[in-house]
Amino acid sequence: MSTEPNPWLTAPDHSDLISIGTHSLHLSITGAPRTHPSHPLILVFTGAGDITFSWLPVRRLLPASLRVLFYDRSGLGKSERGPNRLVASAAAGELLSALKAAGLDPPYILCAHSYGAIVSREFLHLLPAGDVVGMVLADPSTERQHLFFRVPDDDIDGVMGNMNYAKVTGLREDAKLSREEWRERAKLLAKGVDAAKEEAMGFVEVCETLGGKRQVEKKVLKGRPLSIIRANSKRDFERIYEKGVEEGNGSVEQRGRFRELLDRFEDVDRDLKERLLGLTDGDNGKLVRVLDCGHNLQLCRPDVIIREIEWVVERVSGKEMRKGGKESLL
């Protein structure tokens, strides 16, 4: 047995490819080394087809006191493509294997964006109660998402046409990345385009698989802090619709169905996010509404994500915190 110190535990910053037997996942860690086994490690779960490089704005603002691990799922970013199907349950199992290989034990705080929330909850399902001490879900997808939305959606794609998503939605302008960083992100995303498509094609399956675990009904996070951040995702789709119609994209029928989706979007989105508060109990859950940002909070409002991570950390550490449960605006 090696007597060398584990850099994942002792180094302020470390990154490497970690073998899980079939292939390797790229892990990167930052922040103060753990000084006590009870100090939680924060795990970041990216959205569908996304990569940890998109979390650079968050990483830049992280307090040094927080120990945070970022990783790319199989076939995405700097991780290798493995033999498993690219569904959330498999991704959760692969992460658990990588953490064990790196000697990174619980407790964990899970921080997830979009589809990453489904992966994070599959990961939660694999662990004994208490190994996950809190969660932050940034504009999360839920097990009921497939009941209201289609991925891919032919109507949205038709109205989108050949327009550039980042430009039309304002993402490029709002993202806290330099021109060079944006280009690097684009290169890394391009490497994983096939994996991203496969994740998208499993949309209904992963929702149904997670739904079968009945986590909300069981309150699986009971007694532990949960922060849900609801972005203004409707704004992204409104901008796509308006510019697409202006450009003459899509058929009349596609525009009509897209407009119907937009008309009910706010009520559906609110209901999906509020139901997730049922994962925990009492004042351990809070819902934060961010009006000035679209779906990609990790790129445009990293400060909000860090604020909610700190809220969870402080709750876990037993410090007195503001009450949760009611929706607050940022």
mmCIF file of all heavy atoms in Angstrom, residues 29-31 42 44 55-70 302 305-307 309-310:
data_model
loop_
_atom_site.group_PDB
_atom_site.id
_atom_site.type_symbol
_atom_site.label_atom_id
_atom_site.label_comp_id
_atom_site.label_asym_id
_atom_site.label_seq_id
_atom_site.Cartn_x
_atom_site.Cartn_y
_atom_site.Cartn_z
ATOM 1 N N ILE A 29 -10.604 19.003 -8.757
ATOM 2 C CA ILE A 29 -11.009 19.431 -7.424
ATOM 3 C C ILE A 29 -10.333 20.746 -7.067
ATOM 4 O O ILE A 29 -9.213 21.028 -7.512
ATOM 5 C CB ILE A 29 -10.672 18.339 -6.384
ATOM 6 C CG1 ILE A 29 -11.525 18.502 -5.121
ATOM 7 C CG2 ILE A 29 -9.182 18.303 -6.059
ATOM 8 C CD1 ILE A 29 -11.534 17.276 -4.227
ATOM 9 N N THR A 30 -11.022 21.568 -6.306
ATOM 10 C CA THR A 30 -10.469 22.849 -5.896
ATOM 11 C C THR A 30 -10.924 23.177 -4.485
ATOM 12 O O THR A 30 -11.938 22.660 -4.009
ATOM 13 C CB THR A 30 -10.913 23.974 -6.862
ATOM 14 O OG1 THR A 30 -10.217 25.177 -6.550
ATOM 15 C CG2 THR A 30 -12.404 24.226 -6.782
ATOM 16 N N GLY A 31 -10.160 24.058 -3.836
ATOM 17 C CA GLY A 31 -10.527 24.499 -2.491
ATOM 18 C C GLY A 31 -9.644 23.904 -1.423
ATOM 19 O O GLY A 31 -8.750 23.093 -1.686
ATOM 20 N N ILE A 42 -18.301 18.995 -1.970
ATOM 21 C CA ILE A 42 -19.367 19.438 -2.865
ATOM 22 C C ILE A 42 -19.127 18.847 -4.254
ATOM 23 O O ILE A 42 -18.060 19.030 -4.842
ATOM 24 C CB ILE A 42 -19.415 20.975 -2.927
ATOM 25 C CG1 ILE A 42 -19.687 21.551 -1.532
ATOM 26 C CG2 ILE A 42 -20.482 21.448 -3.916
ATOM 27 C CD1 ILE A 42 -19.269 22.995 -1.371
ATOM 28 N N VAL A 44 -20.321 18.590 -8.234
ATOM 29 C CA VAL A 44 -21.037 19.359 -9.256
ATOM 30 C C VAL A 44 -21.471 18.443 -10.402
ATOM 31 O O VAL A 44 -20.657 17.688 -10.949
ATOM 32 C CB VAL A 44 -20.161 20.503 -9.793
ATOM 33 C CG1 VAL A 44 -20.810 21.161 -11.008
ATOM 34 C CG2 VAL A 44 -19.926 21.544 -8.694
ATOM 35 N N TRP A 55 -18.589 25.637 -15.968
ATOM 36 C CA TRP A 55 -18.659 26.073 -14.574
ATOM 37 C C TRP A 55 -17.465 26.922 -14.174
ATOM 38 O O TRP A 55 -17.274 27.223 -12.992
ATOM 39 C CB TRP A 55 -18.796 24.858 -13.658
ATOM 40 C CG TRP A 55 -20.177 24.285 -13.707
ATOM 41 C CD1 TRP A 55 -20.759 23.621 -14.743
ATOM 42 C CD2 TRP A 55 -21.174 24.339 -12.679
ATOM 43 N NE1 TRP A 55 -22.047 23.265 -14.433
ATOM 44 C CE2 TRP A 55 -22.316 23.686 -13.168
ATOM 45 C CE3 TRP A 55 -21.192 24.873 -11.389
ATOM 46 C CZ2 TRP A 55 -23.487 23.565 -12.420
ATOM 47 C CZ3 TRP A 55 -22.349 24.746 -10.634
ATOM 48 C CH2 TRP A 55 -23.474 24.105 -11.154
ATOM 49 N N LEU A 56 -16.665 27.337 -15.149
ATOM 50 C CA LEU A 56 -15.514 28.185 -14.848
ATOM 51 C C LEU A 56 -15.917 29.468 -14.114
ATOM 52 O O LEU A 56 -15.230 29.877 -13.167
ATOM 53 C CB LEU A 56 -14.767 28.510 -16.147
ATOM 54 C CG LEU A 56 -13.481 29.323 -16.011
ATOM 55 C CD1 LEU A 56 -12.472 28.607 -15.123
ATOM 56 C CD2 LEU A 56 -12.872 29.596 -17.384
ATOM 57 N N PRO A 57 -17.020 30.142 -14.498
ATOM 58 C CA PRO A 57 -17.413 31.335 -13.746
ATOM 59 C C PRO A 57 -17.706 31.047 -12.270
ATOM 60 O O PRO A 57 -17.409 31.876 -11.402
ATOM 61 C CB PRO A 57 -18.679 31.804 -14.478
ATOM 62 C CG PRO A 57 -18.516 31.297 -15.875
ATOM 63 C CD PRO A 57 -17.865 29.955 -15.708
ATOM 64 N N VAL A 58 -18.288 29.885 -11.988
ATOM 65 C CA VAL A 58 -18.534 29.492 -10.601
ATOM 66 C C VAL A 58 -17.214 29.211 -9.902
ATOM 67 O O VAL A 58 -16.962 29.682 -8.781
ATOM 68 C CB VAL A 58 -19.447 28.247 -10.532
ATOM 69 C CG1 VAL A 58 -19.578 27.748 -9.099
ATOM 70 C CG2 VAL A 58 -20.815 28.561 -11.126
ATOM 71 N N ARG A 59 -16.362 28.475 -10.571
ATOM 72 C CA ARG A 59 -15.075 28.099 -9.971
ATOM 73 C C ARG A 59 -14.256 29.325 -9.592
ATOM 74 O O ARG A 59 -13.580 29.343 -8.564
ATOM 75 C CB ARG A 59 -14.311 27.211 -10.948
ATOM 76 C CG ARG A 59 -13.039 26.610 -10.371
ATOM 77 C CD ARG A 59 -12.564 25.444 -11.211
ATOM 78 N NE ARG A 59 -11.435 24.775 -10.599
ATOM 79 C CZ ARG A 59 -11.096 23.509 -10.823
ATOM 80 N NH1 ARG A 59 -11.837 22.783 -11.641
ATOM 81 N NH2 ARG A 59 -10.065 22.975 -10.235
ATOM 82 N N ARG A 60 -14.304 30.351 -10.443
ATOM 83 C CA ARG A 60 -13.524 31.562 -10.175
ATOM 84 C C ARG A 60 -13.966 32.269 -8.902
ATOM 85 O O ARG A 60 -13.165 32.915 -8.237
ATOM 86 C CB ARG A 60 -13.630 32.524 -11.355
ATOM 87 C CG ARG A 60 -12.606 32.286 -12.450
ATOM 88 C CD ARG A 60 -12.456 33.514 -13.333
ATOM 89 N NE ARG A 60 -13.576 33.639 -14.243
ATOM 90 C CZ ARG A 60 -13.525 33.361 -15.544
ATOM 91 N NH1 ARG A 60 -12.419 32.900 -16.080
ATOM 92 N NH2 ARG A 60 -14.575 33.511 -16.315
ATOM 93 N N LEU A 61 -15.264 32.169 -8.583
ATOM 94 C CA LEU A 61 -15.806 32.899 -7.440
ATOM 95 C C LEU A 61 -15.877 32.078 -6.158
ATOM 96 O O LEU A 61 -16.222 32.611 -5.105
ATOM 97 C CB LEU A 61 -17.216 33.406 -7.773
ATOM 98 C CG LEU A 61 -17.342 34.455 -8.892
ATOM 99 C CD1 LEU A 61 -18.796 34.850 -9.067
ATOM 100 C CD2 LEU A 61 -16.481 35.671 -8.619
ATOM 101 N N LEU A 62 -15.546 30.802 -6.238
ATOM 102 C CA LEU A 62 -15.686 29.938 -5.064
ATOM 103 C C LEU A 62 -14.760 30.376 -3.933
ATOM 104 O O LEU A 62 -13.566 30.598 -4.156
ATOM 105 C CB LEU A 62 -15.353 28.488 -5.428
ATOM 106 C CG LEU A 62 -16.433 27.681 -6.145
ATOM 107 C CD1 LEU A 62 -15.852 26.367 -6.649
ATOM 108 C CD2 LEU A 62 -17.618 27.425 -5.214
ATOM 109 N N PRO A 63 -15.271 30.487 -2.727
ATOM 110 C CA PRO A 63 -14.399 30.736 -1.577
ATOM 111 C C PRO A 63 -13.432 29.575 -1.401
ATOM 112 O O PRO A 63 -13.793 28.412 -1.627
ATOM 113 C CB PRO A 63 -15.378 30.812 -0.395
ATOM 114 C CG PRO A 63 -16.718 31.062 -1.006
ATOM 115 C CD PRO A 63 -16.688 30.411 -2.350
ATOM 116 N N ALA A 64 -12.214 29.877 -1.010
ATOM 117 C CA ALA A 64 -11.206 28.831 -0.850
ATOM 118 C C ALA A 64 -11.591 27.816 0.209
ATOM 119 O O ALA A 64 -11.093 26.681 0.212
ATOM 120 C CB ALA A 64 -9.860 29.461 -0.501
ATOM 121 N N SER A 65 -12.499 28.190 1.095
ATOM 122 C CA SER A 65 -12.897 27.300 2.185
ATOM 123 C C SER A 65 -13.769 26.141 1.723
ATOM 124 O O SER A 65 -13.945 25.155 2.446
ATOM 125 C CB SER A 65 -13.646 28.092 3.259
ATOM 126 O OG SER A 65 -14.801 28.715 2.699
ATOM 127 N N LEU A 66 -14.335 26.243 0.505
ATOM 128 C CA LEU A 66 -15.213 25.194 -0.005
ATOM 129 C C LEU A 66 -14.417 24.197 -0.840
ATOM 130 O O LEU A 66 -13.677 24.570 -1.756
ATOM 131 C CB LEU A 66 -16.335 25.795 -0.855
ATOM 132 C CG LEU A 66 -17.298 26.747 -0.149
ATOM 133 C CD1 LEU A 66 -18.330 27.270 -1.142
ATOM 134 C CD2 LEU A 66 -17.975 26.073 1.022
ATOM 135 N N ARG A 67 -14.564 22.937 -0.532
ATOM 136 C CA ARG A 67 -13.917 21.865 -1.282
ATOM 137 C C ARG A 67 -14.906 21.364 -2.321
ATOM 138 O O ARG A 67 -15.966 20.796 -1.983
ATOM 139 C CB ARG A 67 -13.522 20.725 -0.335
ATOM 140 C CG ARG A 67 -12.627 19.656 -0.963
ATOM 141 C CD ARG A 67 -11.232 20.169 -1.210
ATOM 142 N NE ARG A 67 -10.267 19.100 -1.478
ATOM 143 C CZ ARG A 67 -9.068 19.310 -1.994
ATOM 144 N NH1 ARG A 67 -8.695 20.539 -2.290
ATOM 145 N NH2 ARG A 67 -8.229 18.314 -2.198
ATOM 146 N N VAL A 68 -14.618 21.576 -3.611
ATOM 147 C CA VAL A 68 -15.579 21.300 -4.677
ATOM 148 C C VAL A 68 -14.949 20.403 -5.736
ATOM 149 O O VAL A 68 -13.828 20.646 -6.189
ATOM 150 C CB VAL A 68 -16.064 22.610 -5.327
ATOM 151 C CG1 VAL A 68 -17.121 22.329 -6.394
ATOM 152 C CG2 VAL A 68 -16.608 23.571 -4.273
ATOM 153 N N LEU A 69 -15.700 19.378 -6.139
ATOM 154 C CA LEU A 69 -15.241 18.468 -7.183
ATOM 155 C C LEU A 69 -16.119 18.608 -8.417
ATOM 156 O O LEU A 69 -17.347 18.547 -8.335
ATOM 157 C CB LEU A 69 -15.258 17.017 -6.693
ATOM 158 C CG LEU A 69 -14.738 16.035 -7.734
ATOM 159 C CD1 LEU A 69 -13.670 15.122 -7.134
ATOM 160 C CD2 LEU A 69 -15.863 15.198 -8.334
ATOM 161 N N PHE A 70 -15.475 18.795 -9.552
ATOM 162 C CA PHE A 70 -16.140 18.866 -10.845
ATOM 163 C C PHE A 70 -15.761 17.620 -11.643
ATOM 164 O O PHE A 70 -14.643 17.123 -11.535
ATOM 165 C CB PHE A 70 -15.682 20.100 -11.626
ATOM 166 C CG PHE A 70 -15.888 21.405 -10.914
ATOM 167 C CD1 PHE A 70 -14.954 21.866 -9.989
ATOM 168 C CD2 PHE A 70 -17.004 22.177 -11.156
ATOM 169 C CE1 PHE A 70 -15.131 23.076 -9.329
ATOM 170 C CE2 PHE A 70 -17.200 23.390 -10.501
ATOM 171 C CZ PHE A 70 -16.259 23.833 -9.587
ATOM 172 N N PRO A 302 -23.197 32.976 -11.615
ATOM 173 C CA PRO A 302 -22.484 32.078 -10.699
ATOM 174 C C PRO A 302 -22.609 32.497 -9.250
ATOM 175 O O PRO A 302 -22.540 31.662 -8.345
ATOM 176 C CB PRO A 302 -21.039 32.168 -11.192
ATOM 177 C CG PRO A 302 -20.949 33.501 -11.889
ATOM 178 C CD PRO A 302 -22.288 33.660 -12.547
ATOM 179 N N ILE A 305 -25.520 30.703 -7.500
ATOM 180 C CA ILE A 305 -25.226 29.311 -7.171
ATOM 181 C C ILE A 305 -24.329 29.224 -5.941
ATOM 182 O O ILE A 305 -24.579 28.427 -5.027
ATOM 183 C CB ILE A 305 -24.574 28.605 -8.375
ATOM 184 C CG1 ILE A 305 -25.581 28.474 -9.526
ATOM 185 C CG2 ILE A 305 -24.043 27.225 -7.974
ATOM 186 C CD1 ILE A 305 -25.010 27.861 -10.787
ATOM 187 N N ILE A 306 -23.303 30.057 -5.893
ATOM 188 C CA ILE A 306 -22.394 30.031 -4.741
ATOM 189 C C ILE A 306 -23.120 30.445 -3.470
ATOM 190 O O ILE A 306 -22.912 29.852 -2.399
ATOM 191 C CB ILE A 306 -21.183 30.938 -5.007
ATOM 192 C CG1 ILE A 306 -20.320 30.322 -6.111
ATOM 193 C CG2 ILE A 306 -20.359 31.138 -3.731
ATOM 194 C CD1 ILE A 306 -19.199 31.198 -6.575
ATOM 195 N N ARG A 307 -23.991 31.429 -3.575
ATOM 196 C CA ARG A 307 -24.757 31.871 -2.408
ATOM 197 C C ARG A 307 -25.586 30.728 -1.831
ATOM 198 O O ARG A 307 -25.666 30.551 -0.610
ATOM 199 C CB ARG A 307 -25.664 33.033 -2.808
ATOM 200 C CG ARG A 307 -26.404 33.706 -1.660
ATOM 201 C CD ARG A 307 -27.262 34.842 -2.194
ATOM 202 N NE ARG A 307 -26.490 35.742 -3.025
ATOM 203 C CZ ARG A 307 -27.019 36.667 -3.823
ATOM 204 N NH1 ARG A 307 -28.332 36.771 -3.911
ATOM 205 N NH2 ARG A 307 -26.245 37.466 -4.535
ATOM 206 N N ILE A 309 -25.008 27.433 -2.310
ATOM 207 C CA ILE A 309 -24.096 26.435 -1.751
ATOM 208 C C ILE A 309 -23.714 26.831 -0.330
ATOM 209 O O ILE A 309 -23.708 25.998 0.593
ATOM 210 C CB ILE A 309 -22.834 26.298 -2.630
ATOM 211 C CG1 ILE A 309 -23.170 25.640 -3.972
ATOM 212 C CG2 ILE A 309 -21.764 25.469 -1.895
ATOM 213 C CD1 ILE A 309 -22.002 25.590 -4.942
ATOM 214 N N GLU A 310 -23.408 28.098 -0.140
ATOM 215 C CA GLU A 310 -23.022 28.572 1.188
ATOM 216 C C GLU A 310 -24.177 28.441 2.176
ATOM 217 O O GLU A 310 -23.963 28.119 3.358
ATOM 218 C CB GLU A 310 -22.545 30.023 1.115
ATOM 219 C CG GLU A 310 -21.223 30.176 0.373
ATOM 220 C CD GLU A 310 -20.766 31.619 0.272
ATOM 221 O OE1 GLU A 310 -21.629 32.502 0.083
ATOM 222 O OE2 GLU A 310 -19.556 31.862 0.361
#
